[in-house]
Amino acid sequence: MTLPVETEGLTKRYGALTAVDDLHLTVRAGEVYGFLGPNGAGKTTALRMLLGLVRPSAGTVRLFGRPPGANQLARVGALIEGPAFYPYLSGRENLRVLAHYARVGTDRVELVLDLVNLTDRADDRYAGYSLGMKQRLGVAAALLKDPRLLILDEPTNGLDPVGMADMRTLIRRLGAGGCTVLVSSHLLGEVEQVCDRVGVVSRGRLIAEGSVADLRGSPGLRVLADPLDEAAARVRALVGAERVRVVDGGLDVAVEPERAAWLNAELVGAGLAVRELRSGERDLEQVFFDLIEKGTTDVG
Amino acid sequence: MWASFRAELVKLTRRPAAWLLAVVTVVLAATFTYGFPYAGIAGGTDGPYSDRTLPMLLPDRLVGNSLSGLPVFFGALVLILGVLTAGGEYGWGTWKTVFTQGLSRREVYVGKLLALAVAVLAILLAVFASGAACSMLIALVETQPVRWPSVGDLAVGIAAGWLIATMWAMLGAVLAIALRAVALPVGLGLVWMLAVQNLLSGLVAPVLDWVATVQQGLPGPNAGSLVAALGAPTDVPGVAATVGGGQAAVVVAAYLVAFVLIGGALLTRRDVG
């Protein structure tokens, strides 16, 4: 089966600035893929290249095995860097105009308006929409073609908590229905709830890729013991120095949580006072920041 | 292409600014071509229109009168329409929305230009219609004979007017695409049409031979020559038989093709930010 999205060595340079650098991205059919990175990491530029809006400086893009020409976009829905519509038209008229461009029946317009809960306000002028309503209309436009591949760039921007939850539900429903979804975000917590796999991009480079569990890694152990320096030396001797980090007055030990009892016995046997010993589930945001920091260091 | 054409027609016909430009064009054409000259004649006062005579306002002069504004003010208004049609997509950031719907950029562009050309034709026909109404009214009031131009003259006049007006609209579109904006292309386009062209033809060309030669190849003087050849009064700004009507038609058509090709090349090759 051809891959919905496949890039090889995708690069975009603007003068001295490299916005996207040697990006190898693969999105498999039917999965919800999270494209994660801080603002300015190159996510939107990469997505624009996928859609043929921006010409790569180097590398290739393939959507369903072919370059992103007009025919390839016939079943690709996209919302890139915020919604953009004609302010003097209503939401419904905007979608009807796009239905002409997309050569789909106007019956799809009512369907997608209903999907994003915008039917009641569909006859209001777009210029009068709130940010959240504009965002929902953008998603409706992306769904107009009943896409096989949906590319959503920060789709929850401007949405209130209820709107964000609705958006996650919609993405999950689309994924379950067989639509491949590529969703970008700068919030790890947002994509982990809906994505099968996540790619993390920093300074234009893909620095990590895998399931959220993969990225989170082994939870390890968190140890608080006195005196700290003696405890650190003892644990390093037991499990290896590379597995021990002193963080915030305690030890992060990269070993399986099942070894907690053994480690406790060893420390107590060595005359150390163990105050706390627990599974050190890594905070997702910390994982994200660690990855970004590592990526930045590597790139630098 | 037709999908894009239909979409563009909806956008144009629903756009208040397009209607405003059309109404302004028709009102200005009727006012300056018939209203003020007739008021001058009826009042019997000396003034800028005192050399106009009543026969110039009658129905048989419909073609020339309707085309007389094209070299300058009618042209300027359709230039603005061209800028708005292409430049609005930059201002609203809607190119990215349109270009991801499954049509090629070329299809979108051609559809947009066709819709723009149809809109220009509609405005031109409205100017002809209002001119016909005004001239007939004057003839009836002044108890003059109502003689209309032949169908052939009317067809040639409309075709020539459409060519010129579309050329100006495409100049607006290509300026908007080149500068990826609305305000600056409108400003530059109007400065060219209302100031530079007139300065060149009125002040510089009479004293510098090479400027006089160069301006024979510029769009404004050729538009003015074409409408002059079709009977537009030469006391209207921009109307002057600088070159022959045939040459003028070829030059205007060449500019139209050049503007279309340049705009298309820029739009299809540049990144959409």
Side-chain angles (χ1 to χ4, degrees):
Chain A
M1 179 181 274
T2 55
L3 291 164
V5 178
E6 186 179 21
T7 74
E8 287 180 8
L10 194 62
T11 301
K12 182 63 183 180
R13 285 183 286 269
Y14 295 102
L17 173 72
T18 302
V20 176
D21 189 5
D22 194 30
L23 182 69
H24 294 262
L25 185 69
T26 302
V27 181
R28 301 166 190 152
E31 76 175 352
V32 179
Y33 186 97
F35 196 42
L36 197 63
N39 292 331
K43 301 187 299 292
T44 299
T45 304
L47 297 183
R48 283 180 184 276
M49 285 192 281
L50 294 186
L51 293 163
L53 293 173
V54 167
R55 201 182 299 267
S57 305
T60 58
V61 174
R62 291 191 173 274
L63 300 181
F64 298 104
R66 301 179 67 179
N71 290 336
Q72 292 307 97
L73 295 180
R75 291 294 299 277
V76 177
L79 169 60
I80 297 294
E81 203 176 27
F85 294 97
Y86 303 98
Y88 56 90
L89 297 178
S90 69
R92 181 176 274 114
E93 288 170 333
N94 266 296
L95 292 182
R96 284 183 173 165
V97 164
L98 295 183
H100 284 308
Y101 283 118
R103 289 179 283 205
V104 299
T106 48
D107 53 322
R108 287 285 305 169
V109 170
E110 301 308 318
L111 190 69
V112 296
L113 281 170
D114 187 49
L115 270 176
V116 299
N117 298 322
L118 208 55
T119 305
D120 291 346
R121 302 291 302 275
D123 289 323
D124 293 358
R125 271 162 48 105
Y126 176 76
Y129 279 10
S130 68
L131 192 58
M133 290 165 67
K134 289 177 178 175
Q135 195 74 3
R136 280 188 278 152
L137 188 68
V139 174
L143 295 172
L144 204 54
K145 289 179 276 187
D146 191 15
R148 285 197 295 164
L149 169 64
L150 187 61
I151 297 175
L152 300 174
D153 187 16
E154 308 268 5
T156 55
N157 269 0
L159 297 184
D160 58 20
V162 175
M164 291 170 81
D166 287 347
M167 185 64 68
R168 284 194 289 268
T169 303
L170 178 64
I171 291 172
R172 269 196 295 265
R173 200 188 331 157
L174 290 165
C179 178
T180 305
V181 184
L182 170 54
V183 54
S184 83
S185 178
H186 61 278
L187 300 171
L188 180 57
E190 184 176 286
V191 298
E192 73 153 330
Q193 299 178 39
V194 294
C195 294
D196 302 308
R197 284 198 307 142
V198 174
V200 180
V201 65
S202 174
R203 295 202 174 184
R205 305 197 70 165
L206 192 66
I207 56 171
E209 190 178 46
S211 68
V212 172
D214 290 342
L215 293 185
R216 197 196 292 266
S218 171
L221 289 171
R222 175 72 177 165
V223 180
L224 299 182
D226 296 318
L228 180 63
D229 52 347
E230 286 182 28
R234 182 64 187 154
V235 177
R236 285 189 180 113
L238 288 168
V239 302
E242 73 284 356
R243 290 172 173 258
V244 182
R245 288 195 306 155
V246 179
V247 178
D248 294 337
L251 304 176
D252 283 348
V253 186
V255 295
E256 297 74 24
E258 292 75 21
R259 300 181 71 184
W262 165 78
L263 188 61
N264 183 45
E266 289 288 339
L267 290 173
V268 171
L272 297 162
V274 178
R275 288 186 283 121
E276 186 177 329
L277 200 155
R278 59 180 165 80
S279 175
E281 185 87 348
R282 292 176 75 196
D283 175 68
L284 276 177
E285 292 303 322
Q286 191 57 49
V287 171
F288 181 47
F289 289 130
D290 286 349
L291 285 168
I292 299 300
E293 190 178 342
K294 180 175 181 295
T296 305
T297 307
D298 290 351
V299 172
Chain B
M1 182 185 77
W2 295 113
S4 168
F5 174 67
R6 288 171 64 194
E8 294 292 340
L9 266 190
V10 173
K11 282 155 56 178
L12 262 174
T13 53
R14 296 292 175 93
R15 191 168 182 177
W19 285 102
L20 178 65
L21 282 172
V23 169
V24 167
T25 305
V26 172
V27 169
L28 285 181
T31 306
F32 281 91
T33 309
Y34 295 99
F36 288 148
Y38 182 67
I41 294 166
T45 56
D46 291 337
Y49 304 108
S50 59
D51 60 331
R52 293 228 189 200
T53 55
L54 185 59
M56 293 177 69
L57 304 180
L58 296 178
D60 62 336
R61 305 296 294 268
L62 175 65
V63 173
N65 284 337
S66 298
L67 298 178
S68 63
L70 277 164
V72 183
F73 86 83
F74 184 172
L77 288 163
V78 290
L79 179 141
I80 295 173
L81 183 65
V83 172
L84 292 182
T85 303
E89 308 282 0
Y90 292 101
W92 298 316
T94 39
W95 278 129
K96 68 180 180 191
T97 308
V98 172
F99 287 158
T100 51
Q101 296 308 313
L103 295 181
S104 69
R105 292 192 193 186
R106 186 175 301 149
E107 286 176 298
V108 170
Y109 179 63
V110 172
K112 183 180 279 293
L113 296 193
L114 284 178
L116 182 56
V118 168
V120 165
L121 177 62
I123 297 173
L124 181 71
L125 292 176
V127 168
F128 267 82
S130 75
C134 290
S135 61
M136 191 168 77
L137 190 64
I138 290 170
L140 292 175
V141 169
E142 297 292 331
T143 60
Q144 296 290 317
V146 178
R147 281 193 292 269
W148 296 103
S150 69
V151 173
D153 288 346
L154 208 55
V156 170
I158 289 171
W162 193 19
L163 176 69
I164 296 168
T166 306
M167 184 269 294
W168 288 128
M170 294 308 159
L171 173 59
V174 78
L175 281 174
I177 291 168
L179 299 170
R180 291 186 265 215
V182 173
L184 188 59
V186 166
L188 288 179
L190 293 185
V191 165
W192 172 261
M193 291 198 68
L194 302 180
V196 177
Q197 271 190 171
N198 286 333
L199 287 174
L200 284 176
S201 61
L203 295 177
V204 186
V207 293
L208 288 175
D209 288 344
W210 67 269
V211 173
T213 305
V214 166
Q215 77 154 355
Q216 290 180 1
L218 295 177
N222 279 281
S225 300
L226 182 51
V227 298
L230 295 170
T234 52
D235 58 348
V236 174
V239 180
T242 312
V243 298
Q247 179 193 323
V250 170
V251 172
V252 170
Y255 272 108
L256 170 60
V257 171
F259 293 151
V260 168
L261 293 179
I262 292 168
L266 290 174
L267 190 64
T268 53
R269 291 179 188 189
R270 290 200 302 201
D271 289 347
V272 177

